[in-house]
Amino acid sequence: MRFGVRLGVDPGDARIGVARSDPSGMLATPVETVRRGKGDLRRIHQIATAEEAVEVVLGLPRSLSGTEGPAAVKTREFAVRLARRIAPVPVRLVDERLTTVTAEAMLRDQRKGAKRRAVVDQVAAVVILQQALDSERATGQPPGELVTPDEQDRDEGDA
């Protein structure tokens, strides 16, 4: 298992959940929910710098059959922009199927409304990161797929 703090990121259309691991890579915990839009990449970069992150793991939404739809395309584009922003810190994409469902189940009967949605995003980021940490511990290999910052995307967005 590699040593160092990793960030887990669950990018949604309105909010981005962020989680962090301890330096030994054993446990993921929530950090914050970032509002999607202008300044979102800047804020994630600030968090990565403050946490001295050695890697960022982004959830890639796939269907239950494993195919990628429009949400996955948007996530891949966001991942490339994030990789450019935080380089040389690597960004990896990992399968996030059912993480929001898992997060919702974990929070059942708790907060309601906007506060609950913000917490769900953070918990989904925790689930994504914890699955990545567990996978690396089990296989000895970094999780998911490495994003290269030089990949093409259509929109520079929040530079």
Side-chain angles (χ1 to χ4, degrees):
M1 185 77 181
R2 299 168 297 149
F3 187 81
V5 172
R6 281 106 164 154
L7 292 186
V9 176
D10 179 35
D13 288 332
R15 293 168 309 280
I16 302 166
V18 182
R20 72 176 296 274
S21 74
D22 63 290
S24 65
M26 292 299 290
L27 185 64
T29 56
V31 174
E32 75 177 72
T33 301
V34 176
R35 188 173 1 157
R36 188 69 184 256
K38 186 174 171 124
D40 55 3
L41 294 177
R42 182 179 316 110
R43 181 63 191 135
I44 295 169
H45 183 225
Q46 290 169 341
I47 296 168
T49 300
E51 297 289 351
E52 298 179 351
V54 298
E55 183 172 79
V56 175
V57 177
L58 236 78
L60 179 65
R62 290 190 168 130
S63 70
L64 290 178
S65 68
T67 59
E68 294 183 13
V73 171
K74 288 195 298 190
T75 297
R76 285 185 177 280
E77 291 169 353
F78 180 81
V80 169
R81 292 194 309 273
L82 180 60
R84 287 182 187 142
R85 181 69 182 231
I86 68 171
V89 175
V91 173
R92 304 187 74 81
L93 288 167
V94 296
D95 189 341
E96 71 154 23
R97 280 179 272 191
L98 300 179
T99 55
T100 300
V101 172
T102 301
E104 288 278 3
M106 292 169 69
L107 293 171
R108 192 165 289 126
D109 299 327
Q110 291 187 12
R111 296 181 178 108
K112 304 292 183 205
K115 286 185 180 181
R116 178 187 169 98
R117 286 189 297 275
V119 172
V120 166
D121 295 325
Q122 289 178 37
V123 173
V126 167
V127 172
I128 289 164
L129 181 55
Q130 191 65 56
Q131 288 175 349
L133 296 170
D134 294 346
S135 170
E136 181 170 340
R137 212 171 14 267
T139 66
Q141 299 296 315
E145 151 193 356
L146 185 64
V147 175
T148 56
D150 59 339
E151 291 177 30
Q152 295 295 316
D153 74 76
R154 291 175 280 197
D155 176 27
E156 286 301 311
D158 175 67

